[in-house]
Amino acid sequence: MPAPTVLLVHGAFADGSSWSRVIDRLQAEGVSAQALANPLRGLTHDGEYVANAAAQVEGPVVLVGHSYGGPVVTYAGGSAPNVTALVLVASFGVDYGVSALGSVAEFPESELNTALEPRAYPGSESPELYIRRDRFHSVFAADLPEEETALLAATQRPVALAGLNDVLEVEPAWKTIPVWFAVATQDHTIDPNSQRAAAARLGATTVEVEGSHAIALSQPDAVAALVLAAVRAQG
């Protein structure tokens, strides 16, 4: 079997550059890695987009999803036949018929809920969401320097609220392929206990990383090590 290609999918309020430090470490280990641009418009739409990208890669693929990117790769991994593993990072964990927001409904609201700024966008009656710039550091990346988070706040990509409410309409990939999960223990965006519960529900190989929601930037060594474990487990 050829070595897997790693495709990394960002979540809400971020872009592909959020994986830059992880990709640097993967490439140093000789792993082929690429960050995909998640459209952030809807779970089915985004899942189909990522599945299409994965299916065009020659050989096996390990899909890595951060935050809302977790449900997206959960969808895509069940649709692209060459996906052999998932890695979820500070993520939601969804099952068939469950949305990202629905998957955390039984847990206390996170700090994110009071920091969202909805804005209208063409073609939708539902808004897209930003994190208020004055709250971005605390909510998303409290363990990064404020100068860096100010830039992240200014370049954040909004997520359609509909995407967070869309239910998973395919069988989740974790039912047929192995999953690794990084729990961010100081996360103010997705409750860490909801992440732990999701990892257990998915039967994931789990590590706990002391860091904010942005652990791919603040703790890239730990995140890259988990991705490498998934890659090496593919043979």
Side-chain angles (χ1 to χ4, degrees), residues 48-218:
E48 288 290 339
Y49 180 90
V50 172
N52 180 68
Q56 295 180 68
V57 174
E58 185 175 349
V61 168
V62 173
L63 283 178
V64 184
H66 173 247
S67 190
Y68 165 73
V72 172
V73 301
T74 297
Y75 182 111
S79 300
N82 58 331
V83 175
T84 58
L86 299 183
V87 182
L88 305 184
V89 179
S91 176
F92 299 101
V94 298
D95 200 346
Y96 180 82
V98 178
S99 68
L101 292 182
S103 71
V104 298
E106 65 184 78
F107 293 90
E109 288 190 353
S110 72
E111 188 179 333
L112 173 70
N113 293 63
T114 62
L116 292 171
E117 179 183 337
R119 298 184 191 175
Y121 71 98
S124 176
E125 296 181 359
S126 178
E128 60 182 10
L129 304 174
Y130 290 81
I131 297 176
R132 285 171 41 190
R133 290 196 191 187
D134 63 334
R135 299 286 303 281
F136 194 94
H137 175 78
S138 176
V139 170
F140 199 84
D143 55 351
L144 288 173
E146 290 196 26
E147 295 82 0
E148 184 174 359
T149 59
L151 178 60
L152 294 174
T155 59
Q156 65 179 293
R157 289 187 55 203
V159 63
L161 175 59
L164 299 175
N165 284 322
D166 285 347
V167 301
L168 186 66
E169 296 182 339
V170 299
E171 284 300 311
W174 53 263
K175 292 189 175 181
T176 55
I177 60 177
V179 184
W180 283 255
F181 202 118
V183 173
T185 64
Q186 305 299 319
D187 199 327
H188 296 168
T189 297
I190 302 177
D191 184 280
N193 285 328
S194 76
Q195 296 177 41
R196 295 184 180 102
R201 187 169 62 250
L202 275 55
T205 300
T206 306
V207 299
E208 298 216 353
V209 180
E210 187 174 351
S212 70
H213 193 61
I215 54 172
L217 287 170
S218 65

